[in-house]
Short mmCIF file of all heavy atoms in Angstrom, two decimals:
data_model
loop_
_atom_site.label_atom_id
_atom_site.label_comp_id
_atom_site.label_asym_id
_atom_site.label_seq_id
_atom_site.Cartn_x
_atom_site.Cartn_y
_atom_site.Cartn_z
N MET Z 295 1.30 -14.56 -17.25
CA MET Z 295 1.41 -15.65 -18.20
C MET Z 295 2.67 -16.41 -17.86
O MET Z 295 2.67 -17.69 -17.98
CB MET Z 295 1.46 -15.04 -19.60
CG MET Z 295 0.25 -14.43 -20.07
SD MET Z 295 0.35 -13.47 -21.69
CE MET Z 295 0.77 -14.87 -22.76
N GLY Z 296 3.75 -15.81 -17.44
CA GLY Z 296 4.95 -16.51 -17.15
C GLY Z 296 4.72 -17.39 -15.90
O GLY Z 296 5.23 -18.54 -15.90
N ILE Z 297 4.00 -16.92 -14.88
CA ILE Z 297 3.73 -17.76 -13.73
C ILE Z 297 2.98 -18.99 -13.99
O ILE Z 297 3.20 -20.14 -13.58
CB ILE Z 297 2.98 -16.90 -12.71
CG1 ILE Z 297 3.91 -15.80 -12.06
CG2 ILE Z 297 2.51 -17.85 -11.53
CD1 ILE Z 297 3.11 -14.81 -11.21
N LEU Z 298 2.00 -18.86 -15.03
CA LEU Z 298 1.15 -20.05 -15.37
C LEU Z 298 1.87 -21.04 -16.26
O LEU Z 298 1.58 -22.20 -16.19
CB LEU Z 298 -0.09 -19.47 -16.13
CG LEU Z 298 -1.08 -18.71 -15.27
CD1 LEU Z 298 -2.17 -18.07 -16.15
CD2 LEU Z 298 -1.69 -19.52 -14.16
N GLU Z 299 2.81 -20.50 -17.08
CA GLU Z 299 3.40 -21.36 -18.06
C GLU Z 299 4.83 -21.88 -17.75
O GLU Z 299 5.27 -22.85 -18.29
CB GLU Z 299 3.39 -20.69 -19.49
CG GLU Z 299 2.04 -20.29 -19.98
CD GLU Z 299 1.16 -21.48 -20.22
OE1 GLU Z 299 1.70 -22.55 -20.52
OE2 GLU Z 299 -0.05 -21.31 -20.12
N ALA Z 300 5.52 -21.15 -16.99
CA ALA Z 300 6.93 -21.44 -16.63
C ALA Z 300 7.10 -22.75 -15.96
O ALA Z 300 6.27 -23.16 -15.09
CB ALA Z 300 7.58 -20.33 -15.89
N LYS Z 301 8.20 -23.45 -16.22
CA LYS Z 301 8.59 -24.71 -15.55
C LYS Z 301 9.76 -24.57 -14.63
O LYS Z 301 9.82 -25.19 -13.62
CB LYS Z 301 8.86 -25.79 -16.60
CG LYS Z 301 7.67 -26.04 -17.59
CD LYS Z 301 6.37 -26.44 -16.90
CE LYS Z 301 5.25 -26.66 -17.85
NZ LYS Z 301 3.99 -27.01 -17.24
N SER Z 302 10.76 -23.74 -15.03
CA SER Z 302 11.96 -23.61 -14.24
C SER Z 302 11.68 -22.57 -13.06
O SER Z 302 10.94 -21.62 -13.35
CB SER Z 302 13.15 -23.24 -15.10
OG SER Z 302 13.01 -21.81 -15.49
N PHE Z 303 12.45 -22.75 -11.97
CA PHE Z 303 12.25 -21.82 -10.87
C PHE Z 303 12.73 -20.45 -11.22
O PHE Z 303 12.14 -19.42 -10.77
CB PHE Z 303 13.07 -22.37 -9.63
CG PHE Z 303 12.86 -21.47 -8.43
CD1 PHE Z 303 11.73 -21.50 -7.65
CD2 PHE Z 303 13.86 -20.68 -8.04
CE1 PHE Z 303 11.54 -20.69 -6.57
CE2 PHE Z 303 13.77 -19.80 -6.93
CZ PHE Z 303 12.58 -19.87 -6.16
N VAL Z 304 13.76 -20.30 -12.05
CA VAL Z 304 14.31 -19.00 -12.37
C VAL Z 304 13.26 -18.18 -13.17
O VAL Z 304 13.03 -16.95 -12.90
CB VAL Z 304 15.56 -19.07 -13.24
CG1 VAL Z 304 16.02 -17.76 -13.82
CG2 VAL Z 304 16.68 -19.82 -12.40
N ILE Z 305 12.55 -18.84 -14.14
CA ILE Z 305 11.58 -18.12 -14.98
C ILE Z 305 10.32 -17.76 -14.06
O ILE Z 305 9.74 -16.69 -14.16
CB ILE Z 305 11.16 -18.98 -16.13
CG1 ILE Z 305 12.33 -19.16 -17.09
CG2 ILE Z 305 10.04 -18.23 -16.85
CD1 ILE Z 305 12.09 -19.99 -18.26
N ILE Z 306 9.98 -18.68 -13.17
CA ILE Z 306 8.94 -18.43 -12.23
C ILE Z 306 9.22 -17.19 -11.36
O ILE Z 306 8.40 -16.30 -11.19
CB ILE Z 306 8.61 -19.68 -11.28
CG1 ILE Z 306 7.97 -20.82 -12.16
CG2 ILE Z 306 7.65 -19.30 -10.20
CD1 ILE Z 306 7.79 -22.09 -11.38
N ALA Z 307 10.47 -17.21 -10.82
CA ALA Z 307 10.82 -16.01 -9.96
C ALA Z 307 10.86 -14.75 -10.74
O ALA Z 307 10.42 -13.69 -10.28
CB ALA Z 307 12.25 -16.33 -9.37
N THR Z 308 11.30 -14.80 -12.02
CA THR Z 308 11.34 -13.59 -12.87
C THR Z 308 9.96 -13.12 -13.09
O THR Z 308 9.69 -11.89 -13.13
CB THR Z 308 12.05 -13.93 -14.17
OG1 THR Z 308 13.41 -14.35 -13.87
CG2 THR Z 308 12.11 -12.67 -15.11
N SER Z 309 9.07 -14.08 -13.31
CA SER Z 309 7.64 -13.71 -13.65
C SER Z 309 7.04 -13.05 -12.40
O SER Z 309 6.26 -12.08 -12.47
CB SER Z 309 6.88 -14.91 -13.97
OG SER Z 309 7.31 -15.50 -15.14
N TYR Z 310 7.32 -13.56 -11.14
CA TYR Z 310 6.85 -12.98 -9.94
C TYR Z 310 7.45 -11.63 -9.75
O TYR Z 310 6.74 -10.65 -9.28
CB TYR Z 310 7.12 -13.89 -8.77
CG TYR Z 310 6.12 -14.97 -8.49
CD1 TYR Z 310 6.50 -16.24 -8.67
CD2 TYR Z 310 4.83 -14.66 -8.13
CE1 TYR Z 310 5.58 -17.32 -8.39
CE2 TYR Z 310 3.91 -15.64 -7.97
CZ TYR Z 310 4.30 -16.99 -8.04
OH TYR Z 310 3.38 -17.99 -7.87
N LEU Z 311 8.69 -11.41 -10.13
CA LEU Z 311 9.31 -10.13 -10.02
C LEU Z 311 8.58 -9.10 -10.88
O LEU Z 311 8.33 -7.98 -10.51
CB LEU Z 311 10.76 -10.23 -10.44
CG LEU Z 311 11.63 -8.93 -10.34
CD1 LEU Z 311 11.94 -8.61 -8.89
CD2 LEU Z 311 12.93 -9.02 -11.26
N ILE Z 312 8.23 -9.43 -12.17
CA ILE Z 312 7.54 -8.57 -13.00
C ILE Z 312 6.21 -8.25 -12.53
O ILE Z 312 5.67 -7.11 -12.55
CB ILE Z 312 7.47 -9.21 -14.44
CG1 ILE Z 312 8.81 -9.32 -15.04
CG2 ILE Z 312 6.58 -8.41 -15.39
CD1 ILE Z 312 9.00 -10.08 -16.34
N LEU Z 313 5.45 -9.31 -12.08
CA LEU Z 313 4.13 -9.10 -11.49
C LEU Z 313 4.16 -8.14 -10.28
O LEU Z 313 3.31 -7.25 -10.26
CB LEU Z 313 3.54 -10.48 -11.09
CG LEU Z 313 2.16 -10.34 -10.34
CD1 LEU Z 313 1.10 -9.78 -11.25
CD2 LEU Z 313 1.76 -11.74 -9.83
N GLY Z 314 5.13 -8.32 -9.42
CA GLY Z 314 5.30 -7.37 -8.27
C GLY Z 314 5.58 -6.01 -8.68
O GLY Z 314 4.96 -5.02 -8.20
N ALA Z 315 6.50 -5.85 -9.64
CA ALA Z 315 6.92 -4.50 -10.10
C ALA Z 315 5.71 -3.77 -10.66
O ALA Z 315 5.41 -2.56 -10.32
CB ALA Z 315 8.01 -4.59 -11.16
N CYS Z 316 4.93 -4.49 -11.43
CA CYS Z 316 3.79 -3.80 -12.14
C CYS Z 316 2.56 -3.57 -11.17
O CYS Z 316 1.94 -2.50 -11.23
CB CYS Z 316 3.35 -4.62 -13.41
SG CYS Z 316 4.67 -4.88 -14.61
N SER Z 317 2.36 -4.48 -10.31
CA SER Z 317 1.28 -4.29 -9.35
C SER Z 317 1.52 -3.15 -8.42
O SER Z 317 0.63 -2.35 -8.12
CB SER Z 317 1.06 -5.67 -8.58
OG SER Z 317 0.67 -6.70 -9.47
N PHE Z 318 2.75 -3.13 -7.92
CA PHE Z 318 3.10 -2.11 -6.93
C PHE Z 318 3.36 -0.71 -7.55
O PHE Z 318 3.50 0.29 -6.82
CB PHE Z 318 4.30 -2.49 -6.12
CG PHE Z 318 4.03 -3.48 -5.05
CD1 PHE Z 318 4.23 -4.81 -5.34
CD2 PHE Z 318 3.52 -3.14 -3.85
CE1 PHE Z 318 4.01 -5.83 -4.37
CE2 PHE Z 318 3.27 -4.10 -2.89
CZ PHE Z 318 3.53 -5.51 -3.14
N ALA Z 319 3.43 -0.61 -8.93
CA ALA Z 319 3.68 0.66 -9.49
C ALA Z 319 2.41 1.49 -9.61
O ALA Z 319 2.56 2.72 -9.76
CB ALA Z 319 4.23 0.43 -10.92
N LEU Z 320 1.29 0.81 -9.65
CA LEU Z 320 0.00 1.60 -9.93
C LEU Z 320 -0.27 2.64 -8.86
O LEU Z 320 -0.68 3.76 -9.15
CB LEU Z 320 -1.19 0.65 -10.02
CG LEU Z 320 -1.08 -0.38 -11.18
CD1 LEU Z 320 -2.32 -1.20 -11.15
CD2 LEU Z 320 -0.94 0.34 -12.53
N TYR Z 321 -0.14 2.33 -7.60
CA TYR Z 321 -0.57 3.22 -6.50
C TYR Z 321 0.18 4.55 -6.56
O TYR Z 321 -0.42 5.66 -6.53
CB TYR Z 321 -0.46 2.58 -5.13
CG TYR Z 321 -1.07 3.34 -4.05
CD1 TYR Z 321 -2.42 3.48 -3.86
CD2 TYR Z 321 -0.26 4.01 -3.08
CE1 TYR Z 321 -2.97 4.21 -2.80
CE2 TYR Z 321 -0.79 4.81 -2.08
CZ TYR Z 321 -2.14 4.89 -1.89
OH TYR Z 321 -2.62 5.64 -0.92
N PRO Z 322 1.53 4.58 -6.65
CA PRO Z 322 2.26 5.89 -6.54
C PRO Z 322 1.93 6.74 -7.85
O PRO Z 322 1.87 7.93 -7.70
CB PRO Z 322 3.71 5.45 -6.59
CG PRO Z 322 3.79 4.00 -6.94
CD PRO Z 322 2.45 3.45 -6.51
N ILE Z 323 1.75 6.01 -8.89
CA ILE Z 323 1.36 6.82 -10.18
C ILE Z 323 -0.01 7.43 -9.90
O ILE Z 323 -0.26 8.62 -10.23
CB ILE Z 323 1.35 5.89 -11.36
CG1 ILE Z 323 2.73 5.36 -11.66
CG2 ILE Z 323 0.91 6.70 -12.64
CD1 ILE Z 323 2.78 4.27 -12.75
N ALA Z 324 -1.02 6.63 -9.45
CA ALA Z 324 -2.33 7.14 -9.27
C ALA Z 324 -2.40 8.30 -8.21
O ALA Z 324 -3.12 9.30 -8.45
CB ALA Z 324 -3.23 5.99 -8.85
N ILE Z 325 -1.66 8.10 -7.14
CA ILE Z 325 -1.84 9.18 -6.14
C ILE Z 325 -1.11 10.46 -6.47
O ILE Z 325 -1.59 11.56 -6.14
CB ILE Z 325 -1.23 8.58 -4.77
CG1 ILE Z 325 -1.77 9.52 -3.62
CG2 ILE Z 325 0.27 8.56 -4.73
CD1 ILE Z 325 -1.50 8.97 -2.20
N THR Z 326 -0.01 10.39 -7.31
CA THR Z 326 0.60 11.68 -7.76
C THR Z 326 -0.35 12.28 -8.79
O THR Z 326 -0.41 13.51 -8.82
CB THR Z 326 1.99 11.40 -8.29
OG1 THR Z 326 1.94 10.28 -9.29
CG2 THR Z 326 2.93 11.00 -7.26
N LEU Z 327 -1.01 11.46 -9.61
CA LEU Z 327 -1.95 11.98 -10.57
C LEU Z 327 -3.08 12.68 -9.81
O LEU Z 327 -3.54 13.80 -10.20
CB LEU Z 327 -2.55 10.87 -11.41
CG LEU Z 327 -3.64 11.15 -12.42
CD1 LEU Z 327 -3.14 12.28 -13.41
CD2 LEU Z 327 -4.11 10.01 -13.16
N ALA Z 328 -3.57 12.16 -8.66
CA ALA Z 328 -4.64 12.80 -7.94
C ALA Z 328 -4.17 14.10 -7.35
O ALA Z 328 -4.96 15.04 -7.20
CB ALA Z 328 -5.11 11.81 -6.87
N CYS Z 329 -2.88 14.21 -6.97
CA CYS Z 329 -2.38 15.41 -6.30
C CYS Z 329 -1.91 16.50 -7.29
O CYS Z 329 -1.57 17.57 -6.81
CB CYS Z 329 -1.28 15.00 -5.32
SG CYS Z 329 -1.81 14.06 -3.94
N ASP Z 330 -1.88 16.19 -8.62
CA ASP Z 330 -1.49 17.18 -9.52
C ASP Z 330 -2.33 18.41 -9.44
O ASP Z 330 -3.56 18.35 -9.41
CB ASP Z 330 -1.63 16.64 -10.96
CG ASP Z 330 -0.46 15.75 -11.33
OD1 ASP Z 330 0.56 15.65 -10.53
OD2 ASP Z 330 -0.46 15.06 -12.38
N ALA Z 331 -1.76 19.60 -9.31
CA ALA Z 331 -2.39 20.89 -9.27
C ALA Z 331 -3.25 21.11 -8.02
O ALA Z 331 -3.97 22.12 -7.91
CB ALA Z 331 -3.32 21.10 -10.51
N LEU Z 332 -3.16 20.20 -6.98
CA LEU Z 332 -3.76 20.44 -5.71
C LEU Z 332 -2.94 21.36 -4.85
O LEU Z 332 -1.73 21.26 -4.81
CB LEU Z 332 -4.05 19.14 -5.00
CG LEU Z 332 -5.28 18.27 -5.33
CD1 LEU Z 332 -5.34 17.06 -4.50
CD2 LEU Z 332 -6.56 19.08 -5.24
N PRO Z 333 -3.60 22.26 -4.11
CA PRO Z 333 -2.86 23.00 -3.07
C PRO Z 333 -2.37 22.16 -2.00
O PRO Z 333 -3.04 21.11 -1.68
CB PRO Z 333 -3.87 24.05 -2.66
CG PRO Z 333 -5.22 23.49 -2.94
CD PRO Z 333 -5.01 22.64 -4.22
N VAL Z 334 -1.34 22.49 -1.26
CA VAL Z 334 -0.74 21.67 -0.27
C VAL Z 334 -1.78 21.47 0.88
O VAL Z 334 -1.80 20.33 1.48
CB VAL Z 334 0.50 22.31 0.34
CG1 VAL Z 334 1.03 21.62 1.56
CG2 VAL Z 334 1.61 22.38 -0.73
N ALA Z 335 -2.64 22.44 1.13
CA ALA Z 335 -3.63 22.26 2.21
C ALA Z 335 -4.61 21.11 2.00
O ALA Z 335 -5.22 20.59 2.89
CB ALA Z 335 -4.41 23.60 2.44
N LYS Z 336 -4.65 20.66 0.75
CA LYS Z 336 -5.69 19.58 0.40
C LYS Z 336 -5.04 18.29 0.33
O LYS Z 336 -5.76 17.24 0.05
CB LYS Z 336 -6.31 19.89 -0.96
CG LYS Z 336 -7.03 21.29 -1.06
CD LYS Z 336 -8.23 21.34 -0.25
CE LYS Z 336 -8.99 22.72 -0.51
NZ LYS Z 336 -10.23 22.82 0.29
N ILE Z 337 -3.74 18.13 0.54
CA ILE Z 337 -3.03 16.87 0.33
C ILE Z 337 -3.52 15.76 1.28
O ILE Z 337 -3.74 14.68 0.87
CB ILE Z 337 -1.49 17.02 0.41
CG1 ILE Z 337 -1.00 17.97 -0.68
CG2 ILE Z 337 -0.80 15.77 0.41
CD1 ILE Z 337 -1.16 17.36 -2.08
N VAL Z 338 -3.60 16.12 2.54
CA VAL Z 338 -4.09 15.07 3.47
C VAL Z 338 -5.44 14.52 3.10
O VAL Z 338 -5.70 13.31 3.08
CB VAL Z 338 -4.15 15.59 4.90
CG1 VAL Z 338 -4.72 14.55 5.92
CG2 VAL Z 338 -2.72 15.95 5.43
N SER Z 339 -6.33 15.44 2.80
CA SER Z 339 -7.70 15.00 2.41
C SER Z 339 -7.68 14.16 1.12
O SER Z 339 -8.35 13.08 0.97
CB SER Z 339 -8.59 16.24 2.16
OG SER Z 339 -9.94 15.85 1.87
N ALA Z 340 -6.84 14.58 0.17
CA ALA Z 340 -6.73 13.81 -1.09
C ALA Z 340 -6.17 12.43 -0.92
O ALA Z 340 -6.63 11.45 -1.42
CB ALA Z 340 -5.82 14.56 -2.08
N THR Z 341 -5.09 12.36 -0.04
CA THR Z 341 -4.58 11.00 0.26
C THR Z 341 -5.57 10.05 0.96
O THR Z 341 -5.52 8.91 0.77
CB THR Z 341 -3.25 11.09 1.08
OG1 THR Z 341 -3.51 11.87 2.24
CG2 THR Z 341 -2.08 11.71 0.33
N GLU Z 342 -6.42 10.67 1.83
CA GLU Z 342 -7.47 9.88 2.44
C GLU Z 342 -8.40 9.28 1.36
O GLU Z 342 -8.78 8.15 1.46
CB GLU Z 342 -8.34 10.85 3.39
CG GLU Z 342 -7.85 10.89 4.81
CD GLU Z 342 -8.85 11.56 5.68
OE1 GLU Z 342 -9.74 12.28 5.18
OE2 GLU Z 342 -8.78 11.36 6.89
N ILE Z 343 -8.79 10.11 0.42
CA ILE Z 343 -9.73 9.62 -0.61
C ILE Z 343 -9.10 8.59 -1.48
O ILE Z 343 -9.68 7.57 -1.82
CB ILE Z 343 -10.17 10.87 -1.53
CG1 ILE Z 343 -11.01 11.84 -0.66
CG2 ILE Z 343 -10.96 10.38 -2.70
CD1 ILE Z 343 -11.11 13.12 -1.30
N MET Z 344 -7.77 8.72 -1.86
CA MET Z 344 -7.06 7.66 -2.61
C MET Z 344 -6.89 6.44 -1.78
O MET Z 344 -7.10 5.33 -2.28
CB MET Z 344 -5.70 8.22 -3.07
CG MET Z 344 -5.72 9.39 -4.06
SD MET Z 344 -6.59 8.98 -5.62
CE MET Z 344 -8.17 9.85 -5.29
N LEU Z 345 -6.65 6.56 -0.51
CA LEU Z 345 -6.52 5.35 0.37
C LEU Z 345 -7.89 4.73 0.54
O LEU Z 345 -7.99 3.45 0.57
CB LEU Z 345 -5.92 5.76 1.74
CG LEU Z 345 -5.75 4.64 2.73
CD1 LEU Z 345 -4.73 3.59 2.11
CD2 LEU Z 345 -5.27 5.13 4.06
N LEU Z 346 -8.98 5.51 0.54
CA LEU Z 346 -10.26 4.96 0.61
C LEU Z 346 -10.57 4.05 -0.69
O LEU Z 346 -11.07 3.01 -0.58
CB LEU Z 346 -11.37 6.05 0.70
CG LEU Z 346 -12.84 5.68 0.88
CD1 LEU Z 346 -13.02 4.88 2.11
CD2 LEU Z 346 -13.74 6.90 0.84
N SER Z 347 -10.25 4.63 -1.85
CA SER Z 347 -10.39 3.86 -3.09
C SER Z 347 -9.58 2.54 -3.00
O SER Z 347 -10.03 1.42 -3.43
CB SER Z 347 -9.94 4.71 -4.33
OG SER Z 347 -10.71 5.80 -4.38
N TYR Z 348 -8.31 2.67 -2.55
CA TYR Z 348 -7.43 1.48 -2.47
C TYR Z 348 -8.00 0.53 -1.52
O TYR Z 348 -8.00 -0.73 -1.78
CB TYR Z 348 -6.07 1.93 -1.97
CG TYR Z 348 -5.13 0.83 -1.58
CD1 TYR Z 348 -4.31 0.21 -2.52
CD2 TYR Z 348 -5.03 0.41 -0.27
CE1 TYR Z 348 -3.45 -0.82 -2.23
CE2 TYR Z 348 -4.18 -0.57 0.07
CZ TYR Z 348 -3.36 -1.19 -0.88
OH TYR Z 348 -2.54 -2.20 -0.48
N SER Z 349 -8.59 0.97 -0.40
CA SER Z 349 -9.13 0.09 0.61
C SER Z 349 -10.35 -0.70 0.07
O SER Z 349 -10.53 -1.91 0.47
CB SER Z 349 -9.48 0.83 1.87
OG SER Z 349 -8.35 1.50 2.33
#
Side-chain angles (χ1 to χ4, degrees):
M295 294 172 62
I297 293 169
L298 293 173
E299 300 297 331
K301 302 301 180 184
S302 73
F303 182 78
V304 173
I305 297 178
I306 290 174
T308 302
S309 299
Y310 276 115
L311 183 75
I312 294 171
L313 175 63
C316 297
S317 299
F318 284 97
L320 296 181
Y321 186 76
I323 299 171
I325 198 169
T326 52
L327 177 59
C329 291
D330 281 352
L332 276 182
V334 171
K336 305 288 186 182
I337 294 294
V338 173
S339 185
T341 53
E342 271 192 340
I343 295 164
M344 293 301 106
L345 183 60
L346 183 64
S347 301
Y348 171 85
S349 303

